[in-house]
Amino acid sequence: MAPRKKASSEYKFPHPMENEHLVGHSDTLRNFMDAWEKRDVHPIHPVWMLTGPVGIGKATLAYKIAKMVYGNVGDFFIIDQERNIDKDGKPKPDGKVISVYTVRAMIDKMQMSSMSGDWRVILIDSVDQLNTAASNAILKLLEEPPAKTLFLLVVHQLANVLPTVRSRARVEKMRPLTISQLRELCARFIPEDEVSTETLKLCNGSFGKIANLKTSGGDAIYAELIELLNTEHVNSGDVMALAHKIAPSPELHGILLDAVASFGLADLYPIVTRAIADIKNLYLEPEVGIFKIIMDIKKCL
C-alpha cells in the first residue's frame, strides 16, 4: 500500500529564529566570523546586508549571527511582519509592507535599552517590505550608527533597496542551495516524504519554496499540470478543474512559469508572466485566467 499523503496542515517548518540547522552559506558565515574575531584590530562594518533569492536561508543565517553577537546578554531588536504595527500601535501583520511606525517603535525601545556596554543587534526581515517612510527612518539610523550596534538586513531583491541604504552596507550575496543541500534539508524537516528530483529542480535552490509547495500541496498540483500538458488530448473540463486548484493560491500561479520553463518555451515566458500579472487586475474569476494560460501553453507543445 502506498504511504498516506501527509495533509498540508501537518507540515511544520521552523521559524528562522528557532532553526539551528543552517545548510550552505559557509562562505558568508566565514566572512562575518573573520570580521567579528578581528573587530578589536579592525572595527567591524556595522551594517551587513544578506541578499539572495527568497527561501535560501538568509534569515536563518541572520538569526544565527545575531544570537552569537548579543549572546543573550546584550539587546536584540527585530523588525519584521510579525511585529508590524499601525499608527495606533496595534498589530498589523498584513504580509505586504512594514510601516514606519514599526521602525520608530524599535528605535524608541533601543534608546531606552540598557547601556551596559554589550553589543546590540537590529535584524530586519526583510528590507524589501519596508515602505518608503520606514526605509528613510532606517537610513537616518544608518547614517550615524550607534556604537557597538550591528545591523543585519535581509534582502530578497537588491534592486528594491534604496541606493543610499545599500551604499552604507557591506553586501553579502548568498547563492541558491544546491540539489544535495536541498535534499539534506528535506531529510531533516520532511523525512517521511520522498521529494522528487523534479520538485527539487522546480524550487531553484530555495527550500522555502519546497516548504510552500508542500504546505499548499503545490508539488502534487504541479505534477498534475505537467501530466495534463503531456497528454495529447485533453478536454476543457479537465483544464478547468486544474485551474480551480491553482487559482485560489496566488503563490501557486508561478508553477505555470515553471511549466513553461520545463518545456523550453522561452518565447512564451514573458507572455505568461504578463498574463499572471493580469489575473489580479482583469479577472473577477482567476480560474478563467489560469484556464487561458494553460490552454496557451498546450497550444505551443
Side-chain angles (χ1 to χ4, degrees):
M1 179 180 294
R4 180 179 67 89
K5 178 176 174 58
K6 185 180 291 188
S8 61
S9 60
E10 293 182 38
Y11 289 105
K12 301 295 182 183
F13 297 100
H15 186 280
M17 180 187 290
E18 303 164 352
N19 184 13
E20 301 294 338
H21 192 71
L22 178 72
V23 172
H25 315 306
S26 58
D27 53 342
T28 303
L29 180 58
R30 183 169 56 251
N31 289 343
F32 178 82
M33 292 302 301
D34 287 346
W36 177 251
E37 291 170 356
K38 298 173 183 176
R39 65 189 182 280
D40 292 334
V41 179
H42 304 288
I44 189 171
H45 200 296
V47 186
W48 288 65
M49 188 173 287
L50 308 178
T51 181
V54 174
I56 63 172
K58 302 185 300 298
T60 298
L61 176 59
Y63 277 104
K64 184 179 183 69
I65 290 173
K67 292 174 185 178
M68 179 193 65
V69 171
Y70 84 93
N72 295 315
V73 176
D75 295 304
F76 187 18
F77 306 92
I78 304 169
I79 296 175
D80 62 8
Q81 272 294 331
E82 292 180 19
R83 294 160 182 81
N84 196 37
I85 59 174
D86 61 17
K87 62 180 181 179
D88 298 318
K90 297 179 179 178
K92 190 184 179 183
D94 61 9
K96 297 177 181 178
V97 298
I98 296 174
S99 72
V100 67
Y101 309 108
T102 307
V103 175
R104 289 173 180 168
M106 181 278 299
I107 293 174
D108 289 342
K109 290 178 182 177
M110 186 181 69
Q111 291 174 340
M112 292 187 293
S113 65
S114 62
M115 301 299 291
S116 61
D118 294 307
W119 277 80
R120 296 183 294 182
V121 179
I122 298 172
L123 190 156
I124 303 178
D125 181 18
S126 68
V127 174
D128 306 66
Q129 294 179 310
L130 296 174
N131 65 21
T132 301
S135 292
N136 287 329
I138 288 295
L139 176 60
K140 291 181 181 179
L141 199 57
L142 298 183
E143 287 174 342
E144 295 185 20
K148 298 187 76 172
T149 301
L150 177 70
F151 292 82
L152 297 172
L153 312 181
V154 174
V155 175
H156 305 313
Q157 290 285 344
L158 200 54
N160 293 340
V161 182
L162 290 176
T164 45
V165 172
R166 189 165 65 239
S167 68
R168 286 166 172 77
R170 170 168 172 165
V171 178
E172 292 285 333
K173 295 182 179 180
M174 296 168 61
R175 295 185 292 272
L177 300 172
T178 65
I179 293 292
S180 61
Q181 288 170 338
L182 289 175
R183 288 193 188 281
E184 181 180 343
L185 287 167
C186 288
R188 173 169 289 270
F189 294 115
I190 44 176
E192 297 177 0
D193 279 31
E194 182 177 343
V195 181
S196 68
T197 300
E198 180 70 21
T199 298
L200 294 177
K201 291 180 179 178
L202 171 67
C203 292
N204 297 318
S206 168
F207 183 72
K209 189 170 183 180
I210 292 178
N212 288 336
L213 285 173
K214 283 294 181 183
T215 302
S216 65
D219 56 334
I221 295 174
Y222 178 74
E224 187 176 346
L225 172 63
I226 296 300
E227 182 180 357
L228 183 146
L229 292 171
N230 275 320
T231 302
E232 186 174 354
H233 301 291
V234 296
N235 61 59
S236 58
D238 292 334
V239 177
M240 183 56 79
L242 181 57
H244 275 284
K245 293 181 181 180
I246 298 172
S249 303
E251 65 272 14
L252 284 183
H253 295 181
I255 67 174
L256 298 167
L257 288 171
D258 295 318
V260 169
S262 176
F263 286 102
L265 303 174
D267 292 341
L268 194 59
Y269 201 90
I271 297 173
V272 173
T273 300
R274 287 193 297 272
I276 291 174
D278 287 343
I279 289 173
K280 179 179 179 181
N281 302 318
L282 302 181
Y283 291 96
L284 295 177
E285 298 179 341
E287 57 270 17
V288 175
I290 300 293
F291 175 89
K292 185 177 184 302
I293 292 172
I294 296 174
M295 295 301 291
D296 287 344
I297 297 173
K298 186 67 178 171
K299 290 175 184 178
C300 295
L301 298 177

